Amino acid sequence: MSNTDHHHADALDAAPRAPGFDNSIAFLAQGYEFMPRRYAALDSDLFATRLMLQRVLCVRGEDAGRMFYQPGRFTRRHALPATTMALLQDFGSVMALDGEAHRKRKAMLMSLFSPLERQRLVGLAAAEWRTRFAQWTGNTQVVVHEAAQEVLCRAVCHWAGIPVSAEDAQERTREFARMIAGAGSAGPRNWRGHLARARTEQWARALVDAVRAGQVQPAFDSPLNVIARHRDADGELMHRKHAGVELINLLRPTVAVARYIVFGLLALHDHPESRARIAAGDDAYTTWFMQEVRRYYPFIPAMGGRALHAFDWRGMHVKKGTWVLFDLYGTNHHPAIWGDPEVFRPERFDRRQSSGFDFVPHGGGDHYSGHRCPGEFVTGDLVKSALQLFASEIAYDVPPQDLTVGMRRIPTLPASGFVIKNVRTTQP
């Protein structure tokens, strides 16, 4: 690298500084609002601070998304607290790979989410929902979040070619739920998540071993079989630990979609005028509504990266190894991008062309070459399908309950988990 590259100031020195020596406690206390509050106070889309005593550059917006999701520029390794990484993605997963190893593994995962496969998973989930609806009629009350997690767990296991009994499904759902709930926390909730992770990894590795030994014979093109038999860039069978991790990384995020479904039902409850259009099968409107749910409600607050090499951005020099947090929530609520980000307005997605960096609930950039979540499309499909079923096939009452969405807890949820009662079918 030539000396001329250093005429720009180091980004961590040049960026506006958030007050306070270390902001870890503030981050835990403020959750999703930690970064947005500081952009507002500093009147800037970026700032430098310390978290866990390490210097970090926090950024939001379309331009920041383009910078952050440039293929080959950042690695996910050492970019999120290890306790969070282990529950969200885990080491050895595609998210922690770079270069050719990432490309080969990502292509395998993307192949599992072809339009036909997505349709198959959505169909299995819809069948599970209808079974529930029949059980719920006249039922006292239902916590939809709990039900949704189990519906999705059963559907995704079935889809992946994993044999699960009703009992298994309940246990798996519990373990996945603990991992998801523990990911953004420190302390007991995080520890429970890790215990669940360890048990689930043993279960997943045993499944991979059974397929490789011929004791379990899933369909040839089923995700379980594809993952168990996948060869990495070096031509070797994927290590059983990593195969187990990738299997979990198909199942657990699908169970996490329960949160978006609950947010969708909360939005329907808050905006009852939308219900008729969704119930009538207006597909375009249902898509806008689903997208607005993913934009408006808090899910994953930020993505972390470590710069793999030095580069210049916005007149600043980002050194190799610099820790950057790209604010997903803050970008989805950026006033310059959305105009009225705090208003829930599905119509904003009418004819909207996304650049891939302005609307980032699942990260930014390209699904194939970058680290954008391979399950993003199926997430949208599952949410749309659930909203259509709830709007068109049943009617229900929403009793008084605490529907506040706490911004401190990550990942968050309406406090009650969204309770419904007096469910009745509206289908003839």
Side-chain angles (χ1 to χ4, degrees):
M1 181 185 278
S2 68
N3 296 334
T4 53
D5 285 322
H6 288 295
H7 61 267
H8 292 317
D10 181 0
L12 287 168
D13 297 326
R17 266 200 76 73
F21 173 71
D22 182 280
N23 272 304
S24 309
I25 305 281
F27 196 112
L28 285 172
Q30 292 164 13
Y32 296 92
E33 292 176 333
F34 170 80
M35 289 190 263
R37 283 185 192 182
R38 281 153 186 80
Y39 307 128
L42 298 163
D43 192 24
S44 167
D45 275 349
L46 67 150
F47 65 87
T49 186
R50 272 193 175 83
L51 294 173
M52 301 177 297
L53 301 179
Q54 296 192 49
R55 297 180 77 193
V56 60
L57 186 66
C58 299
V59 298
R60 70 165 177 184
E62 189 168 359
D63 186 37
R66 240 176 252 287
M67 174 274 290
F68 186 76
Y69 284 104
Q70 178 90 29
R73 181 172 273 174
F74 283 93
T75 177
R76 297 283 171 274
R77 286 197 288 265
H78 312 300
L80 285 170
T83 51
T84 297
M85 182 71 180
L87 293 182
L88 278 180
Q89 291 294 343
D90 206 17
F91 309 96
S93 79
V94 68
M95 280 309 215
L97 297 177
D98 299 296
E100 179 60 16
H102 173 268
R103 197 194 60 73
K104 179 126 201 248
R105 184 90 60 86
K106 188 66 174 270
M108 178 270 289
L109 289 171
M110 290 299 291
S111 75
L112 301 178
F113 288 111
S114 67
L116 212 61
E117 282 299 298
R118 281 168 24 211
Q119 210 177 333
R120 192 167 71 85
L121 176 53
V122 169
L124 289 165
E128 288 286 345
W129 278 121
R130 290 189 172 113
T131 304
R132 294 301 156 117
F133 291 173
Q135 292 165 354
W136 293 348
T137 47
N139 206 336
T140 42
Q141 47 184 36
V142 177
V143 181
V144 178
H145 181 240
E146 288 171 12
Q149 290 190 124
E150 197 172 322
V151 160
L152 293 168
C153 185
R154 289 176 70 111
V156 75
C157 284
H158 189 142
W159 170 80
I162 297 168
V164 282
S165 65
E167 241 162 284
D168 281 347
Q170 285 178 335
E171 189 188 345
R172 292 277 76 82
T173 305
R174 263 198 310 276
E175 312 264 292
F176 289 134
R178 283 191 183 127
M179 285 187 229
I180 297 157
S185 64
R189 200 154 50 105
N190 189 275
W191 305 331
R192 279 196 297 276
H194 279 279
L195 282 171
R197 174 96 215 184
R199 283 194 295 268
T200 305
E201 283 197 356
Q202 281 177 328
W203 167 81
R205 282 203 284 266
L207 267 174
V208 168
D209 292 343
V211 172
R212 289 177 177 175
Q215 294 153 341
V216 171
Q217 294 180 318
F220 175 73
D221 57 353
S222 67
L224 172 57
N225 198 52
V226 171
I227 288 173
R229 304 198 179 283
H230 175 70
R231 291 181 182 273
D232 267 334
D234 56 8
E236 296 296 315
L237 268 181
M238 190 166 22
H239 189 285
R240 61 191 286 270
K241 177 180 180 356
H242 298 164
V245 164
E246 295 298 13
L247 191 59
I248 293 171
N249 285 346
L250 276 188
L251 307 175
R252 188 208 57 254
T254 308
V255 175
V257 173
R259 288 173 188 264
Y260 275 136
I261 291 172
V262 168
F263 284 138
L265 294 175
L266 176 61
L268 270 185
H269 176 63
D270 288 341
H271 306 276
E273 68 285 353
S274 299
R275 195 179 187 93
R277 289 185 74 173
I278 293 175
D282 182 338
D283 190 64
Y285 182 79
T286 308
T287 301
W288 306 341
F289 191 92
M290 172 273 291
Q291 297 287 56
E292 182 69 339
V293 165
R294 292 172 59 227
R295 181 199 72 79
Y296 181 81
Y297 292 100
F299 197 67
I300 298 166
M303 226 347 120
R306 293 261 176 197
L308 283 166
H309 51 79
F311 62 94
D312 289 338
W313 178 61
R314 284 199 180 175
M316 299 179 298
H317 187 67
V318 179
K319 286 182 179 160
K320 180 179 175 175
T322 300
W323 183 23
V324 177
L325 279 181
F326 174 59
D327 185 351
L328 303 174
Y329 179 76
T331 300
N332 288 336
H333 286 256
H334 196 307
I337 300 175
W338 302 102
D340 49 0
E342 298 315 316
V343 177
F344 184 89
R345 192 162 54 77
E347 288 75 12
R348 68 172 84 241
F349 283 95
D350 180 11
R351 288 193 287 277
R352 181 184 177 86
Q353 289 294 312
S354 172
S355 64
F357 302 101
D358 52 350
F359 174 55
V360 289
H362 278 73
D366 177 67
H367 292 89
Y368 285 88
S369 61
H371 282 101
R372 191 169 186 147
C373 174
E376 177 165 18
F377 299 126
V378 83
T379 296
D381 296 344
L382 287 165
V383 175
K384 271 179 67 176
S385 167
L387 289 172
Q388 276 160 339
L389 292 167
F390 272 81
S392 64
E393 298 196 5
I394 55 171
Y396 51 86
D397 302 336
V398 180
Q401 58 190 285
D402 183 358
L403 289 171
T404 51
V405 176
M407 297 299 276
R408 272 186 63 179
R409 182 169 180 156
I410 298 172
T412 190
L413 198 65
S416 61
F418 202 76
V419 176
I420 60 173
K421 66 173 196 182
N422 190 19
V423 176
R424 50 239 181 249
T425 53
T426 53
Q427 293 295 303

